[in-house]
Amino acid sequence: MKKFFLFGLVMTLVCNLSCVEEQVKVSGGIGPDNGLKEAYRDLSMSLDALNNKYVPGVRGVDWKTSSLVLSTVSMDVTGWRYGRKAGAIIGGFAGGFGGIVPGYYIGGLLGGAASSAIGYLGGKEYVVPNDAYSTVVSLGVQDGMLNSAELDSIGYYHNLMVNRIYAERDKYLHQGLPVDYAKVIGDVNEMCNSFGLCDEYLTPGETQNMVDFNVELDSVNQLYLSEKIGEDSLFAASAEVLGAYVRLDENDYYEMSLLDSKIIPVCAAMYPSQVPHYFKDFKDIVNGSHLPNVIKSDLIVTGMFVANSARCASVKVPLP
């Protein structure tokens, strides 16, 4: 029922998101008066110039191939955004690595790994996670950002957990029934604890909320993969689902618009071997932008998450 409901609404979601972005322009706090809008605009133009330097790889030639990677990365990153923001609802997670890494990043890791694993499990084995957890994109030394080594490990643990879930996929798929969302989420939460990333567990209510979120998010992705909606509607509908479960501020919409339109499609289309080089260029451009330092750091960490997600996805060819 939710799938048909979303399909009926999907053509209005782009308009809804545009209306929100228009409100951002005139709202207090973030808007034209403090220069953030202009900083994002200038950054967007710089990223356009960067993207023109990268030629799409094999994944970008065939729509089926690139769409599988793009939808996987989109679901992964939306789960990351949910996990980070859900702290305002579920109390958040204690910082990982002995409290060194902020708890909202650990929440993002849990949310992203769970959504990513759900996406792979529902991909009919056409898109699979590779073993890139040993060669993830590194954040590197980051001026003004503490604990870059620990943050580098987020990509490693994300890809490791997704691979472990997929390797035991028979536990989550039963006789053609939908993916066991709650079990995926619970097992990712357990791995986060066993790896020392956190020492807390989701309550049944918190787990159910994440299940409901992923059911709707997966429905949107299936609409895109069945070619009932396009790329722009995929991103707009995913943002709409996210906004129904967590509170988003003005900067969140700016960030989503930038990454969804400029970074995710490019990373999904290029050769996986190009992704680390692209991320380094992306990081340098963001560091040189006029955004506040705290937003720069956050954008770079999320960009690293996008890059690792794109590097992890592998498509089996030829597709049917």
Side-chain angles (χ1 to χ4, degrees), residues 188-204:
V188 169
N189 194 177
E190 181 62 46
M191 281 189 277
C192 283
N193 279 266
S194 66
F195 294 148
L197 303 177
C198 67
D199 57 3
E200 300 181 28
Y201 289 91
L202 296 169
T203 68

PDB file of all heavy atoms in Angstrom, residues 188-204:
ATOM      1  N   VAL A 188      23.285  -5.193  12.534  1.00  0.00           N
ATOM      2  CA  VAL A 188      24.215  -4.080  12.348  1.00  0.00           C
ATOM      3  C   VAL A 188      24.489  -3.410  13.694  1.00  0.00           C
ATOM      4  O   VAL A 188      25.634  -3.075  14.018  1.00  0.00           O
ATOM      5  CB  VAL A 188      23.663  -3.062  11.334  1.00  0.00           C
ATOM      6  CG1 VAL A 188      24.503  -1.779  11.332  1.00  0.00           C
ATOM      7  CG2 VAL A 188      23.647  -3.666   9.932  1.00  0.00           C
ATOM      8  N   ASN A 189      23.443  -3.220  14.492  1.00  0.00           N
ATOM      9  CA  ASN A 189      23.605  -2.642  15.827  1.00  0.00           C
ATOM     10  C   ASN A 189      24.527  -3.507  16.692  1.00  0.00           C
ATOM     11  O   ASN A 189      25.413  -3.009  17.404  1.00  0.00           O
ATOM     12  CB  ASN A 189      22.232  -2.505  16.480  1.00  0.00           C
ATOM     13  CG  ASN A 189      22.221  -1.624  17.728  1.00  0.00           C
ATOM     14  OD1 ASN A 189      21.176  -1.385  18.314  1.00  0.00           O
ATOM     15  ND2 ASN A 189      23.369  -1.111  18.149  1.00  0.00           N
ATOM     16  N   GLU A 190      24.344  -4.827  16.593  1.00  0.00           N
ATOM     17  CA  GLU A 190      25.188  -5.754  17.359  1.00  0.00           C
ATOM     18  C   GLU A 190      26.648  -5.660  16.911  1.00  0.00           C
ATOM     19  O   GLU A 190      27.566  -5.669  17.747  1.00  0.00           O
ATOM     20  CB  GLU A 190      24.670  -7.184  17.168  1.00  0.00           C
ATOM     21  CG  GLU A 190      25.459  -8.249  17.935  1.00  0.00           C
ATOM     22  CD  GLU A 190      25.409  -8.052  19.431  1.00  0.00           C
ATOM     23  OE1 GLU A 190      24.307  -7.807  19.961  1.00  0.00           O
ATOM     24  OE2 GLU A 190      26.476  -8.150  20.073  1.00  0.00           O
ATOM     25  N   MET A 191      26.863  -5.556  15.600  1.00  0.00           N
ATOM     26  CA  MET A 191      28.239  -5.441  15.112  1.00  0.00           C
ATOM     27  C   MET A 191      28.879  -4.134  15.568  1.00  0.00           C
ATOM     28  O   MET A 191      30.071  -4.103  15.900  1.00  0.00           O
ATOM     29  CB  MET A 191      28.270  -5.566  13.587  1.00  0.00           C
ATOM     30  CG  MET A 191      28.182  -6.994  13.092  1.00  0.00           C
ATOM     31  SD  MET A 191      28.482  -7.156  11.314  1.00  0.00           S
ATOM     32  CE  MET A 191      26.858  -6.753  10.667  1.00  0.00           C
ATOM     33  N   CYS A 192      28.112  -3.053  15.571  1.00  0.00           N
ATOM     34  CA  CYS A 192      28.643  -1.782  16.063  1.00  0.00           C
ATOM     35  C   CYS A 192      29.145  -1.922  17.497  1.00  0.00           C
ATOM     36  O   CYS A 192      30.185  -1.362  17.866  1.00  0.00           O
ATOM     37  CB  CYS A 192      27.575  -0.690  15.991  1.00  0.00           C
ATOM     38  SG  CYS A 192      27.295  -0.018  14.337  1.00  0.00           S
ATOM     39  N   ASN A 193      28.418  -2.666  18.291  1.00  0.00           N
ATOM     40  CA  ASN A 193      28.833  -2.896  19.678  1.00  0.00           C
ATOM     41  C   ASN A 193      30.050  -3.821  19.753  1.00  0.00           C
ATOM     42  O   ASN A 193      30.988  -3.569  20.514  1.00  0.00           O
ATOM     43  CB  ASN A 193      27.675  -3.475  20.491  1.00  0.00           C
ATOM     44  CG  ASN A 193      26.704  -2.422  20.970  1.00  0.00           C
ATOM     45  OD1 ASN A 193      26.815  -1.909  22.075  1.00  0.00           O
ATOM     46  ND2 ASN A 193      25.737  -2.069  20.120  1.00  0.00           N
ATOM     47  N   SER A 194      30.048  -4.878  18.966  1.00  0.00           N
ATOM     48  CA  SER A 194      31.149  -5.845  19.029  1.00  0.00           C
ATOM     49  C   SER A 194      32.455  -5.238  18.525  1.00  0.00           C
ATOM     50  O   SER A 194      33.540  -5.638  18.968  1.00  0.00           O
ATOM     51  CB  SER A 194      30.808  -7.100  18.222  1.00  0.00           C
ATOM     52  OG  SER A 194      30.720  -6.811  16.834  1.00  0.00           O
ATOM     53  N   PHE A 195      32.355  -4.262  17.615  1.00  0.00           N
ATOM     54  CA  PHE A 195      33.558  -3.596  17.110  1.00  0.00           C
ATOM     55  C   PHE A 195      34.010  -2.457  18.022  1.00  0.00           C
ATOM     56  O   PHE A 195      35.021  -1.808  17.751  1.00  0.00           O
ATOM     57  CB  PHE A 195      33.309  -3.038  15.709  1.00  0.00           C
ATOM     58  CG  PHE A 195      33.071  -4.079  14.652  1.00  0.00           C
ATOM     59  CD1 PHE A 195      32.228  -3.827  13.584  1.00  0.00           C
ATOM     60  CD2 PHE A 195      33.696  -5.317  14.727  1.00  0.00           C
ATOM     61  CE1 PHE A 195      32.014  -4.780  12.600  1.00  0.00           C
ATOM     62  CE2 PHE A 195      33.477  -6.279  13.753  1.00  0.00           C
ATOM     63  CZ  PHE A 195      32.636  -6.014  12.688  1.00  0.00           C
ATOM     64  N   GLY A 196      33.266  -2.197  19.080  1.00  0.00           N
ATOM     65  CA  GLY A 196      33.626  -1.132  19.996  1.00  0.00           C
ATOM     66  C   GLY A 196      33.252   0.260  19.519  1.00  0.00           C
ATOM     67  O   GLY A 196      33.762   1.256  20.028  1.00  0.00           O
ATOM     68  N   LEU A 197      32.337   0.334  18.551  1.00  0.00           N
ATOM     69  CA  LEU A 197      31.925   1.625  18.009  1.00  0.00           C
ATOM     70  C   LEU A 197      30.906   2.313  18.913  1.00  0.00           C
ATOM     71  O   LEU A 197      30.772   3.534  18.890  1.00  0.00           O
ATOM     72  CB  LEU A 197      31.335   1.449  16.607  1.00  0.00           C
ATOM     73  CG  LEU A 197      32.262   0.764  15.589  1.00  0.00           C
ATOM     74  CD1 LEU A 197      31.543   0.592  14.265  1.00  0.00           C
ATOM     75  CD2 LEU A 197      33.536   1.563  15.400  1.00  0.00           C
ATOM     76  N   CYS A 198      30.138   1.533  19.647  1.00  0.00           N
ATOM     77  CA  CYS A 198      29.173   2.092  20.595  1.00  0.00           C
ATOM     78  C   CYS A 198      28.876   1.029  21.639  1.00  0.00           C
ATOM     79  O   CYS A 198      29.257  -0.138  21.477  1.00  0.00           O
ATOM     80  CB  CYS A 198      27.875   2.538  19.902  1.00  0.00           C
ATOM     81  SG  CYS A 198      26.895   1.185  19.214  1.00  0.00           S
ATOM     82  N   ASP A 199      28.211   1.415  22.688  1.00  0.00           N
ATOM     83  CA  ASP A 199      27.855   0.443  23.726  1.00  0.00           C
ATOM     84  C   ASP A 199      26.376   0.538  24.067  1.00  0.00           C
ATOM     85  O   ASP A 199      25.962   0.301  25.195  1.00  0.00           O
ATOM     86  CB  ASP A 199      28.708   0.655  24.978  1.00  0.00           C
ATOM     87  CG  ASP A 199      28.587   2.067  25.550  1.00  0.00           C
ATOM     88  OD1 ASP A 199      27.793   2.857  24.998  1.00  0.00           O
ATOM     89  OD2 ASP A 199      29.280   2.369  26.531  1.00  0.00           O
ATOM     90  N   GLU A 200      25.577   0.890  23.059  1.00  0.00           N
ATOM     91  CA  GLU A 200      24.145   1.038  23.261  1.00  0.00           C
ATOM     92  C   GLU A 200      23.382   0.226  22.219  1.00  0.00           C
ATOM     93  O   GLU A 200      23.897  -0.084  21.139  1.00  0.00           O
ATOM     94  CB  GLU A 200      23.739   2.520  23.169  1.00  0.00           C
ATOM     95  CG  GLU A 200      24.418   3.405  24.207  1.00  0.00           C
ATOM     96  CD  GLU A 200      23.964   4.865  24.102  1.00  0.00           C
ATOM     97  OE1 GLU A 200      22.828   5.090  23.650  1.00  0.00           O
ATOM     98  OE2 GLU A 200      24.750   5.742  24.455  1.00  0.00           O
ATOM     99  N   TYR A 201      22.141  -0.094  22.556  1.00  0.00           N
ATOM    100  CA  TYR A 201      21.278  -0.844  21.654  1.00  0.00           C
ATOM    101  C   TYR A 201      19.982  -0.078  21.425  1.00  0.00           C
ATOM    102  O   TYR A 201      19.466   0.579  22.328  1.00  0.00           O
ATOM    103  CB  TYR A 201      20.969  -2.229  22.225  1.00  0.00           C
ATOM    104  CG  TYR A 201      22.158  -3.160  22.216  1.00  0.00           C
ATOM    105  CD1 TYR A 201      23.009  -3.228  23.326  1.00  0.00           C
ATOM    106  CD2 TYR A 201      22.441  -3.952  21.113  1.00  0.00           C
ATOM    107  CE1 TYR A 201      24.100  -4.075  23.322  1.00  0.00           C
ATOM    108  CE2 TYR A 201      23.538  -4.807  21.102  1.00  0.00           C
ATOM    109  CZ  TYR A 201      24.366  -4.861  22.205  1.00  0.00           C
ATOM    110  OH  TYR A 201      25.452  -5.695  22.205  1.00  0.00           O
ATOM    111  N   LEU A 202      19.460  -0.194  20.219  1.00  0.00           N
ATOM    112  CA  LEU A 202      18.171   0.414  19.917  1.00  0.00           C
ATOM    113  C   LEU A 202      17.071  -0.280  20.709  1.00  0.00           C
ATOM    114  O   LEU A 202      17.098  -1.499  20.886  1.00  0.00           O
ATOM    115  CB  LEU A 202      17.872   0.291  18.418  1.00  0.00           C
ATOM    116  CG  LEU A 202      18.809   1.024  17.457  1.00  0.00           C
ATOM    117  CD1 LEU A 202      18.539   0.568  16.022  1.00  0.00           C
ATOM    118  CD2 LEU A 202      18.636   2.528  17.565  1.00  0.00           C
ATOM    119  N   THR A 203      16.102   0.486  21.156  1.00  0.00           N
ATOM    120  CA  THR A 203      14.928  -0.097  21.793  1.00  0.00           C
ATOM    121  C   THR A 203      14.021  -0.681  20.716  1.00  0.00           C
ATOM    122  O   THR A 203      14.179  -0.377  19.526  1.00  0.00           O
ATOM    123  CB  THR A 203      14.156   0.962  22.581  1.00  0.00           C
ATOM    124  OG1 THR A 203      13.581   1.905  21.651  1.00  0.00           O
ATOM    125  CG2 THR A 203      15.065   1.685  23.575  1.00  0.00           C
ATOM    126  N   PRO A 204      13.070  -1.530  21.073  1.00  0.00           N
ATOM    127  CA  PRO A 204      12.129  -2.043  20.069  1.00  0.00           C
ATOM    128  C   PRO A 204      11.422  -0.931  19.301  1.00  0.00           C
ATOM    129  O   PRO A 204      11.227  -1.046  18.075  1.00  0.00           O
ATOM    130  CB  PRO A 204      11.145  -2.864  20.903  1.00  0.00           C
ATOM    131  CG  PRO A 204      11.949  -3.319  22.083  1.00  0.00           C
ATOM    132  CD  PRO A 204      12.855  -2.171  22.401  1.00  0.00           C
TER     133      PRO A 204
END
